[in-house]
Amino acid sequence: MSARVLVGVKRVIDYAVKIRVKPDKTGVVTDGVKHSMNPFCEIAVEEAVRLKEKKLIKEVIAVSCGPQQSQETIRTALAMGADRGIHVDVSGKDYENLGPLQVSKILAALAKKEDVRLIILGKQAIDDDCNQTGQMTAALLDWPQGTFASQVDFQEDSLKVEREIDGGLETIKIKMPAVVTADLRLNEPRYATLPNIMKAKKKKIDTVKPSDLGVDLSPQLEVLSVEEPSQRQAGVKVETVEDLIKKLRDSGRI
């Protein structure tokens, strides 16, 4: 198959880092903090690379929106098996205000420019937990979408997507071009080997600005305040059900 796949890879604060809120409550501390690829984006890259290994697609393009450091995230995707990268250079205040709608507009513009038939994204990012970019991108392109995918099967010019829903699993069939968002059980991402990390250094990363794609980054949302979650109160052990009911009554819970 001659289809190209666009895969979004977001640079986020590493999942193992304890997040700290800035003293002025405008956001979280990012300076000097370890960053890595969003775990759901890793799953998306792995799925795209597997499709290429099965010769179902011909090229995997990894794209990331953000400052210069986002190229490190793209290099990780290239080391996993992506063919080339696109760095959409967004920095300063524009980066601070970058949300799912702006990223969706960028991805939709790139999909048209690169003539891709499939976009694979992580279902959500672990920093903002928005779970919106895939859905918005599909809406902007007017493409079918298969969200929360736990299995994807090619069927000529369509996809069979098994997706995770609250009540279990749902299987849908969608025509390409399409947008798919990866859930946790879709696959287990590979580790980049040293030879592939070395090869990735020679792979091409193009840099573009949102204005080159005709995308306006004006924010639609304003963050008023970011605060630490309140501390949990210590629990109390009770001996009997009667004691529990009395405690709940005394505290006004029942």
Side-chain angles (χ1 to χ4, degrees), residues 104 121-123 131-139 145 147 179-181:
S104 299
L121 308 172
K123 71 165 183 175
N131 175 20
Q132 296 171 346
T133 306
Q135 293 88 329
M136 287 181 173
T137 304
Q145 56 183 291
T147 54
V179 177
V180 170
T181 70

Side-chain angles (χ1 to χ4, degrees), residues 135-155:
Q135 293 88 329
M136 287 181 173
T137 304
L140 289 168
L141 289 166
D142 197 21
W143 287 6
Q145 56 183 291
T147 54
F148 317 126
S150 58
Q151 190 173 323
V152 177
D153 294 315
F154 260 80
Q155 297 180 338

Side-chain angles (χ1 to χ4, degrees), residues 7 31 33 37 44 53 82 100 105 144 150 155 160 198 203 227 250:
V7 184
D31 292 343
V33 174
M37 188 191 298
E53 288 171 346
K105 288 177 179 177
S150 58
Q155 297 180 338
K160 188 171 87 169
M198 300 308 291
K203 291 182 180 178
E227 297 178 28
D250 292 345

Side-chain angles (χ1 to χ4, degrees), residues 8-21:
V9 291
K10 187 176 184 181
R11 178 178 181 264
V12 299
I13 294 176
D14 191 84
Y15 70 92
V17 171
K18 183 171 178 5
I19 305 295
R20 288 181 296 125
V21 174

Side-chain angles (χ1 to χ4, degrees), residues 165-183:
I165 59 174
D166 289 344
L169 296 173
E170 176 183 74
T171 303
I172 60 171
K173 187 175 182 180
I174 55 176
K175 288 187 176 178
M176 290 175 65
V179 177
V180 170
T181 70
D183 213 322

